[in-house]
């Protein structure tokens, strides 16, 4: 890694990416300027965390209504309940991990996995080892393998790399993020950095399970750390869920292809999801302003 240079910088110039960055920046600035944010920013943050967790769990196969999540206190038992519980734990703590993230992203990822899996789960908080299985990124595949009749969009997602390769690439990603926090690499827009972190974690699948929850949480932390969404009020997970699993898979396949066109498609998709997250929180602000929340 060359001091003073940012290896992610060329991605910001891919076709469609500058426009996506500008549109996201405009949308986020508009939300931060909402009059409700002057008085009730903490409430907006809490609501964004809840809605983001619900959406991230939905993308992992546990699509529960928001009111059901508000009502429930027990998230043990079946797989869906555990997934929702893990997403809620991650969302509640992610914003508190920023200080550690700046100098040790790997430590934060381990903590996110522990939160997702639960304290009593074997292998919680540690990366997968050689020959250990990896759960599908899109649990509709898992549902189909369990005999449930659900449609699965067929977009090829390459298998996860070996545990050793995943560990090596994860270490490189961590070095890049630490260099950015130290000012040794800068200049790339926050959207691009967040999309790369999200995509790379989805590609590497460093843990045996819950990699989607962790990748989406890491994207949120990057958006906070890079200063685009410092109050964490823009739940991109909501947008990803709204755009749908099929589009998510297709965009991720673009990232995994490694081509400029594919990378651009992934970044633009992440930008579209973030703008939809902004729209969600804007609606929350409007409801608060009308006294409905």
């Amino acid at each position: 890694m060359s001091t003073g240079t940012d290896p992610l910088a060329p991605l910001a110039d891919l076709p469609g990416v500058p426009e996506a960055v500008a549109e996201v920046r405009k949308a986020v600035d508009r939300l931060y300027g909402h009059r409700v944010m002057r008085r009730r920013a903490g409430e907006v943050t809490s609501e964004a965390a809840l809605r983001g967790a619900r959406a991230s769990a939905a993308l992992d196969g546990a699509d529960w209504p928001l009111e059901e999540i508000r009502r429930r206190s027990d998230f043990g038992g079946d797989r869906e309940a555990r997934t929702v519980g893990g997403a809620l734990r991650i969302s509640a703590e992610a914003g508190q991990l920023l200080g550690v993230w700046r100098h040790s992203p790997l430590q934060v990822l381990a903590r996110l996995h522990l939160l997702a899996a639960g304290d009593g789960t074997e292998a919680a908080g540690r990366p997968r080892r050689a020959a250990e299985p990896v759960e599908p990124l899109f649990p509709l595949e898992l549902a189909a393998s369990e005999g449930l009749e659900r449609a699965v969009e067929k977009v090829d997602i390459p298998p996860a790399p070996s545990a050793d390769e995943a560990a090596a690439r994860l270490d490189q990603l961590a070095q890049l993020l630490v260099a950015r926090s130290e000012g040794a690499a800068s200049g790339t827009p926050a959207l691009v950095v967040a999309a790369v972190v999200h995509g790379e974690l989805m590609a590497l699948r460093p843990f045996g399970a819950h990699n989607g929850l962790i990748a989406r949480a890491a994207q949120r932390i990057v958006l906070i750390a890079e200063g685009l969404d410092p109050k964490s009020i823009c739940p991109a997970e909501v947008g990803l869920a709204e755009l749908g699993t099929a589009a998510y898979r297709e965009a991720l396949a673009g990232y995994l292809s490694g081509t400029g066109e594919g990378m651009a498609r992934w970044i633009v998709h992440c930008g579209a999801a973030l703008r939809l997250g902004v729209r969600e929180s804007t609606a929350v602000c409007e409801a608060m302003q009308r006294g409905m929340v």
Side-chain angles (χ1 to χ4, degrees):
M1 186 184 306
S2 301
T3 302
T5 63
D6 189 341
L8 301 183
L11 300 179
D13 295 323
L14 292 173
V17 173
E19 293 82 1
V21 168
E23 290 168 0
V24 163
R25 179 80 265 179
K26 183 178 178 180
V28 172
D29 286 348
R30 188 182 302 115
L31 174 58
Y32 271 80
H34 197 288
R35 61 188 301 176
V36 166
M37 288 297 298
R38 295 197 293 269
R39 297 173 286 108
R40 303 177 67 179
E43 294 174 66
V44 179
T45 295
S46 296
E47 189 65 20
L50 179 64
R51 293 176 184 233
R54 191 217 73 80
S56 194
L59 289 163
D60 252 30
D63 192 359
W64 287 18
L66 190 60
E67 292 311 313
E68 173 69 7
I69 295 175
R70 293 189 200 276
R71 183 186 66 80
R72 288 280 289 266
S73 58
D74 177 14
F75 294 96
D78 63 23
R79 181 186 182 279
E80 286 196 6
R82 293 194 302 272
T83 297
V84 173
L88 289 170
R89 289 190 295 271
I90 285 175
S91 193
E93 193 168 318
Q96 304 169 31
L97 299 172
L98 184 59
V100 181
W101 177 265
R102 293 188 188 283
H103 63 81
S104 183
L106 298 184
Q107 184 178 339
V108 171
L109 293 175
R111 176 61 181 169
L112 292 174
H113 187 256
L114 181 63
L115 292 167
D119 292 332
T121 305
E122 184 180 357
R126 71 158 175 81
R128 59 185 167 90
R129 296 169 181 162
E132 287 185 340
V134 184
E135 280 193 3
L137 282 174
F138 299 94
L140 288 183
E141 297 171 9
L142 182 62
S145 72
E146 292 173 347
L148 301 179
E149 294 183 0
R150 299 184 184 180
V152 181
E153 295 292 338
K154 293 298 183 183
V155 175
D156 287 338
I157 299 295
S162 70
D164 287 344
E165 181 183 346
R169 286 173 57 182
L170 196 61
D171 188 61
Q172 292 176 348
L173 179 65
Q175 290 180 44
L176 171 63
L177 293 169
V178 171
R180 288 185 63 80
S181 68
E182 294 175 348
S186 61
T188 302
L191 171 63
V192 175
V193 181
V196 168
V197 170
H198 182 177
E200 193 67 4
L201 290 173
M202 295 285 273
L204 298 180
R205 283 152 273 179
F207 301 97
H210 313 298
N211 289 296
L213 291 179
I214 292 164
R216 291 184 289 273
Q219 175 180 261
R220 177 175 285 215
I221 293 172
V222 171
L223 293 172
I224 299 170
E226 295 284 327
L228 179 61
D229 183 19
K231 296 184 184 297
S232 193
I233 60 172
C234 306
E237 305 95 327
V238 171
L240 289 168
E242 185 171 339
L243 290 168
T245 303
Y248 195 9
R249 286 175 61 97
E250 183 179 359
L252 178 61
Y255 179 87
L256 296 175
S257 74
T259 65
E261 180 183 357
M263 295 289 287
R265 187 164 70 247
W266 170 250
I267 296 167
V268 169
H269 185 78
C270 289
L274 187 55
R275 293 200 310 276
L276 289 171
V278 168
R279 188 178 71 178
E280 182 85 358
S281 286
T282 300
V284 168
C285 288
E286 293 294 327
M288 288 181 175
Q289 186 169 293
R290 294 193 301 270
M292 297 174 62
V293 177

